[in-house]
Amino acid sequence: MADLKHLEVWYVTGSQRLYGDEPLKKVAEHSREIVIGLAQEKIPVNIVFKPVLTSADAITDLCLDANSAKNCIGLIGWMHTFSPARMWIAGLKALMKPFAHLHTQYNRSLPWSTIDMDFMNLNQSAHADREFGFIGARMQLNRKVIVGFWQDGNVISEISAWTRAAAAWHDAQRLKIARFGDNMRDVAVTEGDKVEAQIRLGYTVQGYGVGDLVACVRNVTDAEIDKLVAEYEQSYVVAQPLRAGGDKRQSLRNAAAIELGLRAFLESGGFKAFTDTFEDLHGLAQLPGIAVQRLMADGYGFGAEGDWKTAALVRAMKVMSIGLQGGTSFMEDYTYDFGQTHKVLGAHMLEVCPSIAEGKPSLEIHPLSIGGRADPVRAVFTAGSGPAVNVSLVDLGNRFRMILNEIDVVPPDQPLPRLPVARAVWIPRPNLEVAVAAWIHAGGAHHTSFSQSLTAEHLQNFAEIAGIEFLRIGKDTRLAEFKNELNWNKAYYLLRNGN
């Protein structure tokens, strides 16, 4: 995936004319210096300086400009001097982009021996930002509040995490998801209200018969297949039956044709996420395996069995994680190890992204007992160790809920020579019993988006921008308190939504 530097966050400073021209020049100088400083930090998007705002009309015009600017993904607001908050009402009412409130000041330390009233009048963030904070609270606006000195590492980290979430939100407003076939029959959690999802989250879900995909696969040429198969042989450890002269060589070519056809379909339609289902494969030689895995590695979102909510979530997390170490993948909690340390073995039939692989994946072919098609080709590997998050997005009817479990990926206790799928083994925080009980109480799905590059902070920022419920299960989770949180949230959304 490309980097995020083509996207912009506008740095907006508030003041007023009360102090005269010279202080306003200083305010602009200080703001510009902060923007230049932030540009030198590890912030994935461009921070763009905007002229100091001193009137309601200027504020409103800037907010409207931000709405129409295609590459602007949000605003960072800071009140250097006092900016009466009533000036901000019209602009904030009109603003449709996310915004963060940076509560900082230009100077790190007070000049104790020289401080005078001129200094005090110029550097008023301590109370000016409280005025700005009030209007945000009064208007019940979703916003990120970041507090601290602008050069400190924790402040830079919070700004960076928020901009990643804003970038994912920006992507979601234009996201198109292709759904080949329908939902897996009789499954509940992968269903949902597509209209409400478009209203709340921005993305669109468009259904297609698998025949539309088959037509693209049939248009693939032998030369294109030859080229992709050669790429497979460079990228993976190819199992003997799939190599030239092997008895399953044609299966590899069929898998390559599916990838090429699927990629062509998605590119021509502008889709960045998709779903399929093993219950609707008419005309395909095999259930897409390596094709899905490689498309995910290129940044596409995916959900199995028609799970469009997880496809959208995987895509959002792919965007958030651009440039970070570690991978992000579609995942499923598959089975448990109740040995000495209780663990989860996560996997899926075929579709786990190679971005989480430790080492070079092997390209293999094995029987699949469902789908009624030929044995599918897939990349097989084990995820590397380290902290990760496992995230679910569910539709509760009156709201969307995001559930996140912080986990620790560990090596398998023993080799898995007969498990023919990609996998990850992890220990949920605080432990399996509490984490899984909390997940079940919250209605978390069996399909998830798994990431070793993102943290709870990234996903919470995204949920807050989207205005959806967020639940974190981590090392400090206590089940009784978590159940109370569910009840409090239920009451809150009942009052907020009226249902």
Side-chain angles (χ1 to χ4, degrees):
M1 295 179 70
D3 64 31
L4 298 175
K5 283 298 184 181
H6 64 290
L7 301 176
E8 298 176 350
V9 167
W10 292 1
Y11 193 89
V12 178
T13 308
S15 187
Q16 58 179 324
R17 289 286 174 187
L18 179 65
Y19 311 108
D21 290 339
E22 286 306 312
L24 286 175
K25 289 180 182 178
K26 281 290 184 185
V27 169
E29 289 174 9
H30 292 173
S31 297
R32 193 182 297 274
E33 186 175 335
I34 290 174
V35 170
I36 292 171
L38 293 177
Q40 297 171 353
E41 301 292 344
K42 292 181 179 180
I43 295 175
V45 305
N46 282 321
I47 309 296
V48 177
F49 169 81
K50 289 294 177 179
V52 178
L53 300 174
T54 58
S55 70
D57 287 344
I59 292 167
T60 301
D61 287 346
L62 181 133
C63 291
L64 293 173
D65 288 345
N67 289 344
S68 60
K70 289 184 178 180
N71 291 341
C72 175
I73 63 172
L75 309 183
I76 296 176
W78 172 49
M79 305 301 110
H80 188 312
T81 58
F82 200 79
S83 180
R86 287 173 60 185
M87 295 195 307
W88 288 85
I89 293 174
L92 292 176
K93 282 179 66 177
L95 182 65
M96 299 177 67
K97 300 288 176 77
F99 87 90
H101 179 183
L102 176 59
H103 182 41
T104 190
Q105 62 184 27
Y106 171 72
N107 55 296
R108 181 184 291 276
S109 303
L110 288 175
W112 297 100
S113 62
T114 61
I115 190 169
D116 56 17
M117 283 310 299
D118 287 340
F119 181 94
M120 296 283 275
N121 285 335
L122 182 62
N123 298 282
Q124 300 184 45
S125 301
H127 66 278
D129 275 325
R130 284 170 166 80
E131 168 78 354
F132 187 60
F134 166 77
I135 206 62
R138 178 67 177 82
M139 296 174 68
Q140 301 184 50
L141 300 176
N142 294 330
R143 80 268 197 217
K144 174 75 172 180
V145 178
I146 302 170
V147 180
F149 186 59
W150 57 275
Q151 291 179 328
D152 286 348
N154 63 306
V155 172
I156 300 299
S157 178
E158 285 193 62
I159 293 173
S160 180
W162 179 80
T163 62
R164 289 183 176 280
W169 178 252
H170 177 78
D171 182 78
Q173 305 318 295
R174 296 157 179 78
L175 177 61
K176 293 168 61 180
I177 302 169
R179 195 179 194 217
F180 298 107
D182 200 355
N183 189 63
M184 181 179 171
R185 288 186 281 276
D186 291 331
V187 176
V189 76
T190 52
E191 287 285 15
D193 187 336
K194 302 183 193 71
V195 174
E196 188 66 15
Q198 187 171 351
I199 293 169
R200 295 287 181 186
L201 300 168
Y203 55 77
T204 61
V205 183
Q206 300 182 12
Y208 295 90
V210 72
D212 296 320
L213 172 57
V214 170
C216 288
V217 173
R218 288 174 177 165
N219 286 333
V220 174
T221 67
D222 285 340
E224 291 172 318
I225 293 172
D226 292 340
K227 182 178 179 181
L228 184 54
V229 166
E231 184 177 333
Y232 289 166
E233 291 171 332
Q234 288 292 319
S235 302
Y236 312 106
V237 179
V238 179
Q240 182 63 47
L242 298 174
R243 297 176 190 172
D247 62 353
K248 295 293 184 180
R249 183 67 169 184
Q250 185 57 46
S251 295
L252 184 65
R253 295 183 64 82
N254 291 342
I258 291 173
E259 178 182 340
L260 291 162
L262 179 54
R263 194 179 291 272
F265 185 99
L266 297 175
E267 289 177 353
S268 66
F271 298 102
K272 293 298 182 182
F274 65 101
T275 74
D276 62 18
T277 173
F278 63 84
E279 290 185 323
D280 189 355
L281 296 175
H282 180 74
L284 290 178
Q286 56 187 259
L287 177 64
I290 187 61
V292 172
Q293 293 177 294
R294 286 170 53 84
L295 283 161
M296 267 195 288
D298 287 342
Y300 285 85
F302 173 74
E305 292 114 37
D307 189 353
W308 51 270
K309 296 190 298 300
T310 302
L313 180 60
V314 171
R315 170 62 185 181
M317 291 173 65
K318 288 282 188 181
V319 173
M320 275 185 258
S321 64
I322 290 173
L324 296 178
Q325 293 295 315
T328 295
S329 177
F330 174 75
M331 186 59 71
E332 181 171 85
D333 295 65
Y334 222 103
T335 191
Y336 298 137
D337 175 25
F338 282 122
Q340 185 175 1
T341 301
H342 297 178
K343 306 179 186 72
V344 177
L345 173 58
H348 203 258
M349 294 182 298
L350 304 171
E351 311 97 343
V352 175
C353 180
S355 66
I356 69 171
E358 183 175 56
K360 193 173 187 178
S362 61
L363 199 59
E364 303 178 14
I365 184 168
H366 299 278
L368 188 68
S369 60
I370 56 177
R373 295 288 156 184
D375 300 341
V377 177
R378 81 292 303 268
V380 178
F381 53 85
T382 300
S385 300
V389 294
N390 215 18
V391 192
S392 172
L393 182 66
V394 296
D395 184 350
L396 296 180
N398 67 340
R399 66 189 185 278
F400 290 95
R401 169 182 284 170
M402 182 181 289
I403 307 112
L404 177 145
N405 187 197
E406 295 171 323
I407 62 177
D408 293 291
V409 182
V410 297
D413 289 3
Q414 299 178 31
L416 298 162
R418 298 185 63 186
L419 185 62
V421 292
R423 59 267 178 162
V425 179
W426 66 81
I427 302 171
R429 300 182 192 174
N431 55 55
L432 188 146
E433 287 76 11
V434 171
V436 173
W439 190 275
I440 290 172
H441 278 294
H446 56 288
H447 289 166
T448 60
S449 182
F450 166 101
S451 181
Q452 293 179 300
S453 54
L454 300 176
T455 67
E457 181 181 10
H458 295 98
L459 277 300
Q460 185 167 7
N461 284 336
F462 182 85
E464 289 175 352
I465 290 171
I468 61 176
E469 184 182 4
F470 178 82
L471 294 167
R472 171 185 164 272
I473 305 168
K475 65 182 179 63
D476 299 323
T477 297
R478 303 292 181 267
L479 192 56
E481 296 170 0
F482 188 85
K483 290 166 71 175
N484 282 338
E485 184 179 0
L486 291 174
N487 288 329
W488 298 332
N489 288 2
K490 181 179 179 180
Y492 166 77
Y493 284 99
L494 180 66
L495 292 170
R496 193 185 81 163
N497 299 338
N499 58 17

